[in-house]
Amino acid sequence: MGEIFSPGKLMLTSEYFAMDGALVLAVPTRLGQEFSFEEVRDARSLIFWEAFHQGKIWLKAVIDYRSWQVLETNIPSSAEFILKTLKNVQALSSIRFKADFTYHLKTNLQFPANYGLGSSSTLMNNLAEWAEVDPFHLNKISLGGSGYDIAVAKEKSAVLYRSVPEITYEKVNFDPPFKNDLIFIHLNQKQDSREGISFYRSKNKSQKHVDEFSDLTRNILLCNELENFSQLMLIHEQKISHFLEIPTVKELYFKDCPVFVKSLGAWGGDFVMSSKFDGFRDYFWGKGFTTIFDYSDLVY
């Protein structure tokens, strides 16, 4: 029995513009996904898949990887996605899903699926590490997306990431002196990233937009003062709001909030980032948002 762990992620800058080459700052989360594996040489060529959410069984499937058929499952649509992904693993790997072995594979997602911290990217990275294949390639053919979340899961570190013209990234030490003033608030819903991406793709954009967000990312990384950081976050929100022609999350939910509120990742759901102020917990709880993390409780 072996085990692998990949942390989740929070995308702090550039959001949709990451797909067009804007520089992204992203950080890993303490919560992630565990993956355990065991193989038995019994000539059955089966995969016994068990997926847990916070320790509770969610998906079970038995897959024949000679014929690539789902033999048993409790959720057919999810089992088909797992089959497709594992078939991709087989195509890329020289060591996994070869004849004679049966595989017992188990995953455990440590955070609620609606948190948007990377349930799919952590799975891709775990499978790639286990199968000794390129996680970015596996992610591209199985899911798509810019791949920044794969870099975070792979490196278990904050990263500066760029996807265009080719994937390049570097590990960075993002440890702002004001981190104890930062908080993350969950918006009680999971945003559909694909839907948001399609909407973004419908908009006309230029290299100037991409460069603006890359510059903002560099400046945010170098921030040493909360006041400056807050101002950059405000500018970032306003620029994306103007481009997408949709209100910021602060305009929608927190108009009277005395500090910045910034969307993270796909707009309209998942987590937002803000900073502490007198009575901040009562303020957010009073508006129905009761899941609040201190920076150091959530960021790895």
Side-chain angles (χ1 to χ4, degrees):
M1 176 77 75
E3 293 188 355
I4 295 170
F5 171 78
S6 289
K9 50 68 187 177
L10 286 166
M11 185 185 209
L12 301 189
T13 69
S14 292
E15 282 98 270
Y16 302 109
F17 288 89
M19 294 178 293
D20 289 299
L23 200 61
V24 172
L25 174 61
V27 297
T29 60
R30 293 185 180 277
L31 302 171
Q33 187 158 193
E34 301 159 309
F35 176 73
S36 60
F37 51 90
E38 186 175 6
E39 56 188 61
V40 181
R41 193 160 199 167
D42 60 3
R44 296 168 70 198
S45 301
L46 296 176
I47 302 164
F48 290 87
W49 183 272
E50 291 184 308
F52 290 77
H53 282 176
Q54 296 178 282
K56 295 181 180 179
I57 189 69
W58 169 65
L59 171 67
K60 297 180 76 170
V62 181
I63 296 170
D64 182 331
Y65 69 84
R66 280 175 297 196
S67 62
W68 284 109
Q69 289 184 310
V70 177
L71 305 180
E72 299 173 30
T73 186
N74 61 328
I75 311 177
S77 58
S78 297
E80 285 297 328
F81 170 73
I82 295 301
L83 182 148
K84 172 195 165 188
T85 302
L86 296 181
K87 194 173 181 180
N88 289 338
V89 170
Q90 184 194 53
L92 297 175
S93 178
S94 61
I95 62 171
R96 303 301 184 200
F97 303 131
K98 306 309 173 189
D100 296 337
F101 286 96
T102 284
Y103 296 89
H104 296 265
L105 307 177
K106 184 192 296 186
T107 70
N108 180 43
L109 192 66
Q110 295 177 335
F111 51 84
N114 72 342
Y115 270 20
L117 298 180
S119 55
S120 298
S121 58
T122 51
L123 174 63
M124 293 298 143
N125 190 66
N126 284 339
L127 287 172
E129 185 175 331
W130 171 68
E132 298 180 14
V133 302
D134 180 355
F136 295 100
H137 189 40
L138 177 62
N139 184 69
K140 181 178 180 180
I141 62 177
S142 302
L143 284 173
S146 69
Y148 82 93
D149 42 6
I150 298 295
V152 173
K154 182 174 184 290
E155 298 299 335
K156 298 177 173 61
S157 165
V159 298
L160 276 181
Y161 179 90
R162 192 190 301 274
S163 63
V164 176
E166 60 184 5
I167 290 174
T168 57
Y169 65 91
E170 61 177 304
K171 294 168 67 172
V172 293
N173 179 30
F174 182 67
D175 190 30
F178 49 83
K179 66 183 180 184
N180 291 334
D181 291 311
L182 299 177
I183 53 174
F184 299 101
I185 305 103
H186 191 250
L187 295 184
N188 304 330
Q189 57 187 319
K190 176 74 178 75
Q191 180 65 7
D192 186 332
S193 297
R194 287 182 176 83
E195 185 180 296
I197 288 169
S198 295
F199 180 64
Y200 166 80
R201 289 291 192 206
S202 71
K203 299 286 186 179
N204 291 323
K205 64 197 73 67
S206 67
Q207 187 60 40
K208 179 175 178 286
H209 289 115
V210 172
D211 293 342
E212 284 179 347
F213 284 100
S214 293
D215 289 341
L216 275 170
T217 295
R218 293 186 189 95
N219 290 331
I220 287 165
L221 176 62
L222 297 174
C223 263
N224 288 315
E225 296 177 356
L226 179 59
E227 185 177 351
N228 187 24
F229 183 84
S230 300
Q231 186 61 29
L232 290 171
M233 289 291 154
L234 180 62
I235 293 169
H236 194 294
E237 281 288 277
Q238 290 172 338
K239 282 184 178 293
I240 289 192
S241 174
H242 180 72
F243 177 81
L244 295 177
E245 298 180 290
I246 60 176
T248 66
V249 71
K250 184 171 181 176
E251 289 170 325
L252 286 175
Y253 302 120
F254 311 112
K255 278 188 177 180
D256 55 348
C257 184
V259 296
F260 81 91
V261 181
K262 185 191 179 297
S263 293
L264 303 175
W267 276 36
D270 306 337
F271 279 93
V272 296
M273 179 166 56
S274 188
S275 61
K276 295 176 181 177
F277 53 91
D278 287 344
F280 72 91
R281 288 193 188 277
D282 289 340
Y283 173 83
F284 290 114
W285 286 350
K287 292 184 178 292
F289 302 101
T290 57
T291 303
I292 303 171
F293 286 93
D294 283 359
Y295 184 92
S296 296
D297 288 338
L298 189 57
V299 175
Y300 180 70

